[in-house]
Amino acid sequence: MDISLVEETPFRFRIEPRGPMRVPGVVFATSELLPQAASGEALEQVANVATLPGVVRASYAMPDVHWGYGFPIGGVAATDIDTGGVVSPGGVGFDISCGVRLLAADIDRDGLEPHLRALMDVLGDTIPRGMGRGGLWRLSGRAEMEKLLVGGAGYAVEHGHGVPRDLTFCEDEGALEEADPSQVGARAVERGLQQVGSLGSGNHFLEVQAVDRVYDEKAASAFGLRPGGVCVMIHCGSRGLGHQVCTDHVRTMDRSLGRYGISLPDRQLACAPVDSPEGRAYLGAMAAAANYARANRQLLTEAVRRAFATTAGVGVDLVYDVSHNMAKIETHRVDGASRRLCVHRKGATLALPPGDPDLPEEISEAGQPVLVPGTMGTASYVLVGEKGNDAFHSACHGAGRVWSRHQALREVRGEALRDALESRGIAVRPSSWRGLAEETPEAYKDVDAVAAATEGAGLAHVVVRLVPLGVVKG
């Protein structure tokens, strides 16, 4: 498909409907970010998503958009359930409920400096990470796994891995009620039994950071963030369990396309009506995998607390936990009417505005923290949702890749990257030199530009900028 863009504003571009597209495509970006978005056929994927049955308003792309499986990463689309709208696992991704958790430590950058190396050594030694590695909590079998798949982060807290306050500041209070463990296959359970409390590989990380700059003092104060304050950002998801859930249900939906008369420009968009047996089964399994991811981040939170207590003698509180690979049933006004929608956010973060009833009372006046990690050696951001966000209250989730992992390996040696980061005072604890090289900062867009475009588009505005002190890489 030949993709042409119309500039509506300096931060918003439109792909006009053509062929089987049911709605336009809308790309939030700048002219500088757009060429990177076009690479890897990401914009063609935006147009393909606009062909899904029941899709409403537009197929959206965030400023960090890049090529993905079916949907682009950074893609958002909603379908109207009551008019045959579909759910597509490709609109969630293989790492179901991959997300970011931000913690704030009771210490500032200068106070941590004498303890930083010891802290990073403890984190490097105790955080399980890498492909297929073990976890901090090995479940006994399917029966215990099903309890975790229903209870999510709450099940972890009940078993001493955290405090009740953690659930208040976790999206969905740490668990989705729609979870149906019976729709999670035996292979998925087997893969997940020994991975609870682990980072995984690829772009997953645990990073110790400091607040470098405050842009919105009121929101920063509500979130417990102050200039020079130390934070920890955790980026991970549902590990092998979530990947297997996606694999299993994509296969089932692909076989059912003919039954529902669905024709797609890309089989990676395999889908089924939300109210069909296949749709309900996937949503139940997806919610269960999401609860696994929330429990996973909860276990890692406790590991961080132990490390800070041991090395620096200070406590750590949860700021917020939000996912960026989800499909959720939500009600939004479309064309003047309230509609029940299935909102897909793949590599896109929920960004609730101030006063939203789903927010904890303590931060309701400020709005929901939108957590946007950069890369090793670059900044990360905390933004907050804005009113008037027509992309179903969605925002970017990170910097977004511009190099493939193969290109990164051709360009960068892990040992050299580690030395360069260490020379800048950033302590690095990698699981492998290859994995480190794949995640070199040059492989990603400029996160400062992505944050600025997100703000310019009116999706969310910047609260604080964070800089890295040390990173544990998956």
Side-chain angles (χ1 to χ4, degrees), residues 16 43-44 70 75 79 91 122 131 136 168 180 199 250 254 287 306 310 323 364 371 373 398 424 444 461 467 470:
E16 294 292 350
L43 297 184
E44 183 174 345
T79 62
V122 171
M131 185 79 68
L136 295 168
T168 300
D180 184 355
L199 279 179
V250 163
D254 185 67
R306 288 192 295 271
T310 299
S323 302
S364 177
L371 308 177
R424 295 169 50 195
Y444 287 84
H461 73 262
V467 293

Side-chain angles (χ1 to χ4, degrees), residues 154-187:
Y155 184 74
V157 170
E158 288 172 11
H159 286 74
H161 304 293
V163 295
R165 181 189 179 279
D166 293 339
L167 305 180
T168 300
F169 293 95
C170 186
E171 182 186 7
D172 309 310
E173 297 185 331
L176 288 159
E177 296 180 356
E178 302 84 0
D180 184 355
S182 71
Q183 301 299 335
V184 177
R187 176 60 180 147

Side-chain angles (χ1 to χ4, degrees), residues 126-161:
T126 59
I127 300 296
R129 59 197 192 276
M131 185 79 68
R133 303 286 177 85
L136 295 168
W137 187 10
R138 298 195 174 192
L139 304 182
S140 59
R142 176 147 195 143
E144 186 175 21
M145 173 65 83
E146 291 199 354
K147 294 177 182 177
L148 182 139
L149 295 179
V150 170
Y155 184 74
V157 170
E158 288 172 11
H159 286 74
H161 304 293

Side-chain angles (χ1 to χ4, degrees), residues 4-16 24-35 43 46 58-61 457:
S4 59
L5 292 167
V6 177
E7 181 176 338
E8 295 185 325
T9 77
F11 301 100
R12 183 180 176 120
F13 297 79
R14 182 181 176 93
I15 303 171
E16 294 292 350
V26 172
V27 182
F28 299 106
T30 61
S31 56
E32 292 76 20
L33 289 171
L34 271 177
L43 297 184
V46 174
S59 167
Y60 293 99

Side-chain angles (χ1 to χ4, degrees), residues 392-424:
F392 308 105
H393 299 313
S394 307
C396 64
H397 87 303
R401 288 195 78 96
V402 291
W403 287 0
S404 69
R405 288 185 163 82
H406 291 300
Q407 182 178 353
L409 289 172
R410 289 195 301 269
E411 302 285 344
V412 176
R413 288 179 60 251
E415 297 93 327
L417 176 57
R418 189 275 311 273
D419 291 346
L421 293 170
E422 294 273 358
S423 71
R424 295 169 50 195

